Amino acid sequence: RNSYEHNGKRHLKPVDNPTYKEICGDCHFAYQPELLPSGSWEKILAGLADHNGEEIEIDQESKKIISEYLKANSAEYSSAKWAVKIVRSLRGQTPMRITDVPYIRHKHEDDDIPADAFTRKSVGSMSNCIACHTTAENGIYDDDDVVIPKWLYL
């Protein structure tokens, strides 16, 4: 069994949509849909003309597949522990970035995280989940699986 099934609803479901994984994961980590509500994913897909400073061109069929996948698996439709906490923390907000989710911001304000962690070259920013969360691809963001790179290159 994979860890998502083994641990019931504790962890997020690993990304299992090949179109989403290929198109979105080609440029950045393919985030689990459960990290944002469906309204956020809709806004993100509607703004692909300026997606993090880049124009993203996707054929209509692929965009439809991605949209349906993200909506069906978004935070408000999940019973995973993290997704429930994400939805509760939003209080009606529709953030455009996972790093703007109050619950996720709170988790990253921990005293155990060095102040310069997100500016280290090996991390780059808070949006680079896989730099520290060694099991993020599997939907596991447990503190026990976090390894903050020690490289201090700025």
Side-chain angles (χ1 to χ4, degrees):
R1 290 192 257 170
N2 69 35
S3 57
Y4 177 77
E5 293 169 346
H6 177 70
N7 292 311
K9 302 290 185 201
R10 182 172 179 194
H11 301 296
L12 303 180
K13 184 179 173 189
V15 171
D16 62 359
N17 181 285
T19 305
Y20 171 67
K21 202 170 198 173
E22 179 185 331
I23 292 174
C24 300
D26 190 43
C27 295
H28 56 72
F29 176 65
Y31 302 101
Q32 286 83 12
E34 295 163 289
L35 291 168
L36 285 173
S38 59
S40 294
W41 291 118
E42 288 172 24
K43 281 181 163 180
I44 291 167
L45 288 175
L48 292 179
D50 182 14
H51 183 66
N52 298 320
E54 300 284 329
E55 181 177 357
I56 309 299
E57 293 184 21
I58 301 175
D59 65 86
Q60 287 302 322
E61 181 61 24
S62 295
K63 189 173 182 178
K64 180 180 180 221
I65 290 168
I66 292 169
S67 176
E68 289 172 356
Y69 171 70
L70 292 173
K71 182 175 182 176
N73 294 282
S74 60
E76 71 266 30
Y77 301 117
S78 173
S79 59
K81 181 177 83 171
W82 258 59
V84 170
K85 290 181 178 187
I86 285 169
V87 171
R88 281 189 194 141
S89 78
L90 290 173
R91 299 176 191 238
Q93 297 174 48
T94 310
M96 290 292 291
R97 299 175 184 274
I98 292 166
T99 56
D100 289 337
V101 171
Y103 175 70
I104 293 174
R105 292 201 67 76
H106 170 74
K107 292 292 288 180
H108 290 85
E109 292 169 353
D110 191 312
D111 290 337
D112 294 337
I113 299 175
D116 71 339
F118 301 115
T119 59
R120 294 176 184 181
K121 187 175 182 181
S122 52
V123 177
S125 74
M126 195 168 114
S127 64
N128 186 13
C129 304
I130 58 174
C132 303
H133 293 275
T134 61
T135 54
E137 280 192 76
N138 297 321
I140 302 169
Y141 292 86
D142 291 344
D143 293 346
D144 294 343
D145 299 310
V146 171
V147 177
I148 299 171
K150 298 194 185 300
W151 308 112
L152 298 176
Y153 303 114
L154 300 177

